[in-house]
Amino acid sequence: MLRKTKLATAAWAAGWQRLLLGLSLLLVAAACSSTPGNIGVGLPSADANTGAYLVDTLTIRASTVLRDSIITSSSNLLLVGRYRDAQLGTITAKSYVTFALSGTFAPDQALVYDSLVLVLKPNTYRYGDTTKTQTLVDVHRLNSFVPTTQYGYASPKLTPMSSRVQPASVNDPAQVIVRRATRRLTTLRLRLSSALGQEMLNAGKARLLDTQEQLDARYPGLALLPGAADEAALVQFAANNTESALILYYHNPADASTVLSYSFSLSTGRHFYQAEADRSAIAGLSTLTTSLQQINSALTTQQTYIQGLLGLQTKIEIPYLVNLRSLGQNIIITSAVMTAQVPDNVRLTSSLLPPPAVLNLYTTDQANHPVNLIQSANVLSGANTIDYNAAVANLAGISQAGYEWSVLSYCQGVISGQITNNGLLLNTTAPASPERVVLGGPNRNNNRLRLRLYLISNN
């Protein structure tokens, strides 16, 4: 409910009456489609010297939006693995790579095959439980690759790959690596099947791999998949590392002690990775299947989600913001602060990285496309970023992890008519990464999404 302080002087009496009438109309409009949770709590005393008033009873709506057009083919990274997220379901990441000739490949007819090894260079990035063992990595041949004129998307729906992946693994069965994906792992050498290695050596001897076009036609690339039973962590690899390669080893029988080899390097710009989540057991989210679709927080246990790689964003709407115009022509908003917290029931396990350190805020159209990036001053740091903080005070005055930022420019723009009130999209600044955060919805008893708006009237 709204409260007021005594006016500092009798001159404020007439202005206060107009303000009270306008705010009453605003509450009536908001109450028409809101639940008691939208009405909020009482307001602290206004400043008697400035005539400033706090409104924290505006209805807020929050939804999770799916936007699956995340491009990963422009990344210098690969991602492979699978882990179970209690909030988002089981998440699986796969990578697809092609290879390039490193100079002329013209092996002599007398050479004898030794082995074929795929060398990958993991960095220190892990997402999931690194105490569990997992297969590093299950390799499959591709029968075709994505044309160079097309992007590779994180969503399998946008870049279908299942029909391009041959079902049989080409790992050497005796050399499959199953271990914990510790951050100390800096080089991964995967022994591949002798059949594939011998085939490549024979193709080289027959001069069928003289050009890049020939290599692409005969060996379009490899799929890097998690093991069928894996449920541990996502592992990131540096695709642009010069040591990453498919290395064919052989020798000359006349000099068996001398190791000979040829490296097919990873093709620059011709690799990408994908991720998908099995959300079938997650309340509400299982129905989120269409790009730009949104699902209200009332259907997802009063929670919203942000996860860049899966294309999950949080949409925030203030449907009755324009009703503030009824307070008069000279209403001035001096502060508008949005607080979003991680719910008490959502615990960040030690196996997952912290939530996104910085979020972006966009205006949106009715179809949930991001329109303009808003420079939103952080309430805690003063910087033009929305930063994750482990100590954002909740309604009970207890510190709780979350985000707090200014929406002053948006509110002013809506009131002035310069911005259409379609709402705001909150998204990670690293859309191709799997860090996620769960935020409380507007109708929770605690850790709820809330807006505090200060205004003054000069009427």
Side-chain angles (χ1 to χ4, degrees):
M1 306 301 294
L2 299 181
R3 298 181 298 170
K4 66 183 183 67
T5 58
K6 295 181 180 179
L7 298 178
T9 65
W12 282 101
W16 164 243
Q17 290 176 354
R18 289 190 296 269
L19 183 61
L20 180 60
L21 176 60
L23 290 178
S24 298
L25 293 172
L26 178 62
L27 282 178
V28 170
C32 289
S33 64
S34 63
T35 66
N38 294 124
I39 299 303
V41 297
L43 304 182
S45 299
D47 189 323
N49 294 319
T50 63
Y53 294 88
L54 169 63
V55 179
D56 66 355
T57 58
L58 281 172
T59 296
I60 302 175
R61 296 173 186 160
S63 306
T64 301
V65 173
L66 174 64
R67 184 171 182 264
D68 56 13
S69 55
I70 307 302
I71 298 171
T72 59
S73 55
S74 58
S75 171
N76 287 324
L77 302 171
L78 303 173
L79 198 65
V80 182
R82 182 185 295 109
Y83 75 99
R84 183 183 295 275
D85 188 316
Q87 297 296 321
L88 298 178
T90 300
I91 298 172
T92 302
K94 306 173 182 179
S95 291
Y96 306 94
V97 298
T98 61
F99 297 94
L101 291 172
S102 304
T104 302
F105 180 50
D108 188 86
Q109 297 296 322
L111 297 177
V112 176
Y113 168 80
D114 287 325
S115 63
L116 180 66
V117 177
L118 176 62
V119 179
L120 299 173
K121 299 294 290 183
N123 56 28
T124 59
Y125 185 96
R126 307 288 186 272
Y127 198 84
D129 190 347
T130 57
T131 66
K132 296 180 179 180
T133 59
Q134 64 188 96
T135 302
L136 298 171
V137 170
D138 192 19
V139 183
H140 293 245
R141 291 179 68 171
L142 295 175
N143 53 42
S144 63
F145 201 77
V146 178
T148 56
T149 56
Q150 297 179 12
Y151 290 119
Y153 289 94
S155 171
K157 291 191 303 182
L158 298 183
T159 310
M161 293 298 293
S162 58
S163 63
R164 302 174 190 265
V165 179
Q166 297 185 10
S169 170
V170 294
N171 292 69
D172 183 335
Q175 301 290 331
V176 173
I177 300 175
V178 179
R179 56 171 292 182
R180 293 187 298 117
T182 66
R183 290 176 173 83
R184 294 190 298 273
L185 178 66
T186 59
T187 300
L188 189 63
R189 295 178 61 87
L190 300 171
R191 185 83 167 259
L192 303 188
S193 73
S194 296
L196 175 59
Q198 186 67 64
E199 178 187 322
M200 295 186 72
L201 181 60
N202 290 343
K205 290 179 179 181
R207 300 299 183 264
L208 298 177
L209 299 178
D210 285 349
T211 67
Q212 184 65 44
E213 290 74 17
Q214 289 179 314
L215 177 64
D216 289 342
R218 187 169 290 272
Y219 302 105
L222 298 175
L224 312 180
L225 313 179
D230 284 354
E231 194 178 288
L234 305 185
V235 181
Q236 199 175 79
F237 299 89
N240 60 344
N241 191 297
T242 56
E243 296 181 42
S244 299
L246 183 63
I247 305 177
L248 182 62
Y249 292 94
Y250 42 85
H251 69 273
N252 190 327
D255 183 12
S257 62
T258 300
V259 177
L260 303 175
S261 66
Y262 184 89
S263 294
F264 298 89
S265 60
L266 262 68
S267 297
T268 303
R270 295 190 63 207
H271 48 75
F272 68 103
Y273 57 93
Q274 296 186 327
E276 58 184 332
D278 179 1
R279 295 192 283 260
S280 58
I282 306 300
L285 283 183
S286 60
T287 63
L288 197 61
T289 58
T290 305
S291 188
L292 301 179
Q293 177 188 355
Q294 71 182 82
I295 183 168
N296 192 277
S297 59
L299 301 176
T300 54
T301 63
Q302 279 301 318
Q303 296 177 168
T304 64
Y305 305 87
I306 298 174
Q307 207 263 31
L309 187 57
L310 297 178
L312 300 179
Q313 308 175 19
T314 287
K315 182 175 182 178
I316 300 173
E317 299 172 89
I318 317 169
Y320 301 108
L321 184 58
V322 293
N323 288 34
L324 289 176
R325 295 171 183 168
S326 66
L327 302 182
Q329 296 298 316
N330 297 316
I331 293 298
I332 300 173
I333 300 175
T334 60
S335 175
V337 177
M338 190 75 73
T339 301
Q341 296 182 323
V342 178
D344 290 326
N345 62 299
V346 178
R347 300 298 179 191
L348 183 67
T349 65
S350 59
S351 63
L352 297 182
L353 294 175
V358 180
L359 297 178
N360 279 337
L361 188 69
Y362 292 86
T363 57
T364 180
D365 59 19
Q366 290 183 333
N368 296 327
H369 296 99
V371 178
N372 292 312
L373 178 66
I374 296 178
Q375 292 296 323
S376 180
N378 187 284
V379 174
L380 299 175
S381 68
N384 287 328
T385 57
I386 301 176
D387 302 323
Y388 176 75
N389 193 286
V392 177
N394 61 21
L395 291 175
I398 301 173
S399 292
Q400 182 80 14
Y403 304 84
E404 194 169 51
W405 70 96
S406 171
V407 289
L408 178 60
S409 63
Y410 177 77
C411 291
Q412 288 176 330
V414 170
I415 295 301
S416 66
Q418 296 177 343
I419 296 176
T420 303
N421 192 25
N422 288 322
L424 299 162
L425 283 177
L426 200 59
N427 191 19
T428 173
T429 60
S433 294
E435 290 91 343
R436 57 87 164 159
V437 66
V438 182
L439 301 175
N443 291 330
R444 298 179 62 89
N445 292 329
N446 200 3
N447 311 124
R448 74 167 184 253
L449 180 70
R450 56 195 175 110
L451 170 66
R452 292 167 296 171
L453 189 147
Y454 288 89
L455 55 85
I456 60 175
S457 171
N458 288 331
N459 292 312

